[in-house]
């Protein structure tokens, strides 16, 4: 098809690539967006959206059962849950996403993109896209596959399978106690599967404070999930259409499906990064404007999971907006503002990365999970025992913690665990990003009676 010239070529049409392309196109740069799968990416069809669609009905049913006087009987109807999920994912049809991109002034190209020279991208070996200013890589991440004897040929689910399946397995094992592991273990248990969660550590969600994993584990057990802590998977053998799992602690399980929830890695394979002098396999190391380090000419940029900085859709979209703005400024001959918190830098990656784990109880956190060695930090931790939570659910169980930078008297981290705490998170994020002094934060009076009263209790526990 020959060579075509654009101002910007964006590789990867998930939410991150869409945001980068939208920013450069909005600035008047001729922009093309390339992807070999579905426009809208992992989040729209296989991750954030379908997983939350699977989780929400079970969370809502459990919440109703915690309220005396609410007549709740029966269980979830899986077919209806799947129908609603499929509506949110458009059953994999990305027509709407392609139309959005074109409406935003972005040209779309479907195919495998590979960097073949400076500012040059070749699609499917027969179409060359030459960029005047920048190539932005937004290819996301892919699952890590563990090396387990017998894994090949076993009835495996990847995270994509777990969010798109429309039949409930009788017996499901989940390998990995991270976010995907705990969310999918609970979702499928509530849909009717017998779920075994296998993990190496003593509790799930090991990157969080200990109380987080303990409360989530309690919630999983209440839904019938059997937790195999301090274990792992030593090997797999076939038993008809099922799999026999040999655990590292000596136990054995026979299951119909095994979900591998063993983490993700940046998707840099097959991108032709060698042509830019970059070794593939690892993350693309970038500065806060998204410019890839150690690439001559400063034409290669990246944002999102592929950089390894903050593997969350919302954080990748944030970085993409900053990167798009930086590329547009540079293309216009304007200075790129590399100062922290400018429109051209993704500074929050280092200080305020919010995340919600949509289990029951929910986990909502931002900033550091606990005091950092060598830093002037102090933490307080309390039960979420306020009038608002008591009214919200009978026997409400939850905890909250905050980490304070004692030199500046500002928040460095906040964590909530409990039913419906996700909506508390943005207030914590604003307080950290805005570096609101605690003595000023004390004047932000929480409405009575809401769960937000926990903010007052946290500040009182700190001594205010």
């Amino acid at each position: 098809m020959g060579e075509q010239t654009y101002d910007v070529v964006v590789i990867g049409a998930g939410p991150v690539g869409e945001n980068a392309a939208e920013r450069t196109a909005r600035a008047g740069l001729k922009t093309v967006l390339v992807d070999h799968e579905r426009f809208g990416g992992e989040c729209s069809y296989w991750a954030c959206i379908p997983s939350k669609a699977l989780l929400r009905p079970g969370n809502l049913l459990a919440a109703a059962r915690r309220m005396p006087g609410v007549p709740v009987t029966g269980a979830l109807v899986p077919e209806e849950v799947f129908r609603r999920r499929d509506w949110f994912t458009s059953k994999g049809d990305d027509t709407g996403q392609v139309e959005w991109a074109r409406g935003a002034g972005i040209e779309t190209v479907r195919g495998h993109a590979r960097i073949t020279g400076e500012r040059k991208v070749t699609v499917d070996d027969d179409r060359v896209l030459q960029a005047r200013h920048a190539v932005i890589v937004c290819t996301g991440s892919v699952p890590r596959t563990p090396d387990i004897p017998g894994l090949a040929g076993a009835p495996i689910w990847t995270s994509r399978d777990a969010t798109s399946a429309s039949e409930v397995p009788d017996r499901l094992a989940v390998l990995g106690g991270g976010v995907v592991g705990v969310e999918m273990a609970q979702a499928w248990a509530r849909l009717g599967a017998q779920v075994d969660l296998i993990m190496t550590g003593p509790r799930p969600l090991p990157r969080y404070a200990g109380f987080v994993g303990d409360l989530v584990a309690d919630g999983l057990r209440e839904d019938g999930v059997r937790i195999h802590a301090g274990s792992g998977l030593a090997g797999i053998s076939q038993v008809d259409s099922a799999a026999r799992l040999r655990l590292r602690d000596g136990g054995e399980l026979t299951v119909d499906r095994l979900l591998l929830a063993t983490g993700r890695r940046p998707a840099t394979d097959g991108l032709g990064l060698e042509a830019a002098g970059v070794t593939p396999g690892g993350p693309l190391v970038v500065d806060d404007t998204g410019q890839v380090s150690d690439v001559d000419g400063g034409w290669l940029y990246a944002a999102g999971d592929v950089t390894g900085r903050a593997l969350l859709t919302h954080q990748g979209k944030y970085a993409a907006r900053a990167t798009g703005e930086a590329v547009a400024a540079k293309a216009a001959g304007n200075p790129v503002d590399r100062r922290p918190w400018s429109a051209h830098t993704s500074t929050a990656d280092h200080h305020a990365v919010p995340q919600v784990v949509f289990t029951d109880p929910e986990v909502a956190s931002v900033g550091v999970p606990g005091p950092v060695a060598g830093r002037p930090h102090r933490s307080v931790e309390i039960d979420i025992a306020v009038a608002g939570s008591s009214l919200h659910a009978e026997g409400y169980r939850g905890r909250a913690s905050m980490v304070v930078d004692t030199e500046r008297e500002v928040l460095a981290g906040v964590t909530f665990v409990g039913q419906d705490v996700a909506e508390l998170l943005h207030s914590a994020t604003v307080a950290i990003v805005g570096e609101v002094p605690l003595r000023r934060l004390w004047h932000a009076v929480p409405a009575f009676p809401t769960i937000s009263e926990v903010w007052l209790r946290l500040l009182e526990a700190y001594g205010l």
Side-chain angles (χ1 to χ4, degrees), residues 73-96:
T73 58
L76 295 178
V77 180
E79 294 77 15
E80 288 300 307
V81 175
F82 300 146
R83 182 192 59 77
R84 184 170 182 267
R85 174 206 58 196
D86 291 345
W87 182 87
F88 275 107
T89 62
S90 303
K91 294 186 177 180
D93 182 357
D94 67 353
T95 301

Side-chain angles (χ1 to χ4, degrees), residues 326-349:
V327 168
K330 187 177 179 181
N334 298 324
V336 175
D337 189 348
R338 299 178 182 276
R339 293 174 299 176
W341 307 112
S342 81
H344 301 155
T345 58
S346 52
T347 312
D349 283 357

Side-chain angles (χ1 to χ4, degrees), residues 11 34-36 111-115 121-124 270-272:
I11 305 174
V34 188
D35 203 297
H36 70 284
H112 286 270
R114 185 168 49 89
I115 297 169
V121 174
T122 300
V123 181
D124 289 343
L271 281 177

Side-chain angles (χ1 to χ4, degrees), residues 2-154:
E3 183 173 302
Q4 298 167 284
T5 300
Y6 296 87
D7 293 315
V8 178
V9 178
V10 180
I11 305 174
V16 178
E18 288 176 336
N19 272 260
E22 190 275 335
R23 289 286 163 147
T24 57
R26 190 171 70 175
L29 298 178
K30 186 179 180 182
T31 301
V32 61
L33 183 60
V34 188
D35 203 297
H36 70 284
E37 286 192 301
R38 297 172 187 166
F39 280 67
E42 195 81 18
C43 182
S44 299
Y45 304 104
W46 299 290
C48 322
I49 299 300
S51 65
K52 303 324 169 261
L54 291 176
L55 284 158
R56 178 59 181 165
N59 289 358
L60 187 60
L61 181 60
R65 287 173 173 165
R66 296 187 188 113
M67 186 58 62
V70 178
V72 180
T73 58
L76 295 178
V77 180
E79 294 77 15
E80 288 300 307
V81 175
F82 300 146
R83 182 192 59 77
R84 184 170 182 267
R85 174 206 58 196
D86 291 345
W87 182 87
F88 275 107
T89 62
S90 303
K91 294 186 177 180
D93 182 357
D94 67 353
T95 301
Q97 300 277 9
V98 173
E99 290 176 348
W100 170 87
R102 291 172 178 168
I106 303 163
E107 185 168 332
T108 61
V109 171
R110 203 181 297 272
H112 286 270
R114 185 168 49 89
I115 297 169
T116 50
E118 184 172 331
R119 298 182 175 87
K120 182 180 292 187
V121 174
T122 300
V123 181
D124 289 343
D125 298 324
D126 63 353
R127 185 172 185 174
V128 176
L129 311 176
Q130 184 70 48
R132 295 186 184 93
H133 299 293
V135 174
I136 308 176
V137 178
C138 304
T139 49
S141 60
V142 293
R144 294 182 185 274
T145 302
D147 185 11
I148 300 172
L151 185 64

Side-chain angles (χ1 to χ4, degrees), residues 152-367:
I156 297 300
W157 267 4
T158 65
S159 58
R160 287 189 174 190
D161 297 314
T163 58
S164 60
S166 294
E167 292 185 6
V168 181
D170 291 332
R171 302 163 297 181
L172 171 67
V174 179
L175 180 62
V179 176
V180 173
V182 294
E183 286 188 347
M184 290 297 93
Q186 191 161 49
W188 286 99
R190 287 178 165 179
L191 286 165
Q194 172 57 63
V195 177
D196 287 88
L197 178 63
I198 305 165
M199 56 192 189
T200 57
R203 58 174 64 87
L205 301 175
R207 296 184 180 182
Y208 291 85
F211 71 87
V212 173
D214 290 338
L215 285 170
V216 170
D218 289 344
L220 292 171
R221 291 189 182 100
E222 288 175 5
D223 285 315
V225 177
R226 299 183 297 211
I227 298 178
H228 305 268
S231 184
L233 195 50
I236 306 171
S237 57
Q238 292 291 116
V239 182
D240 297 325
S241 60
R244 179 172 293 156
L245 310 182
R246 189 171 71 257
L247 306 186
R248 288 178 181 168
D249 62 7
E252 285 193 349
L253 297 170
T254 300
V255 299
D256 302 296
R257 292 288 184 272
L258 169 64
L259 167 58
L260 301 179
T262 47
R264 301 181 69 84
R265 62 179 179 81
T268 55
D269 297 335
L271 281 177
L273 292 170
E274 299 90 340
V278 177
T279 302
L284 289 176
V285 179
V286 297
D287 65 15
D288 283 354
T289 70
Q291 187 172 320
V292 177
S293 305
D294 302 325
V295 173
D296 293 339
W299 56 272
L300 186 61
Y301 291 77
D305 284 12
V306 75
T307 68
R309 285 171 62 125
L311 277 64
L312 296 161
T313 297
H314 49 270
Q315 211 67 22
K317 290 164 65 175
Y318 157 73
R321 293 191 292 270
T323 295
E325 294 287 349
V327 168
K330 187 177 179 181
N334 298 324
V336 175
D337 189 348
R338 299 178 182 276
R339 293 174 299 176
W341 307 112
S342 81
H344 301 155
T345 58
S346 52
T347 312
D349 283 357
H350 309 296
H351 305 282
V353 175
Q355 181 172 14
V356 177
V357 184
F358 290 87
T359 46
D360 181 19
E362 288 178 338
V363 181
S365 68
V366 61

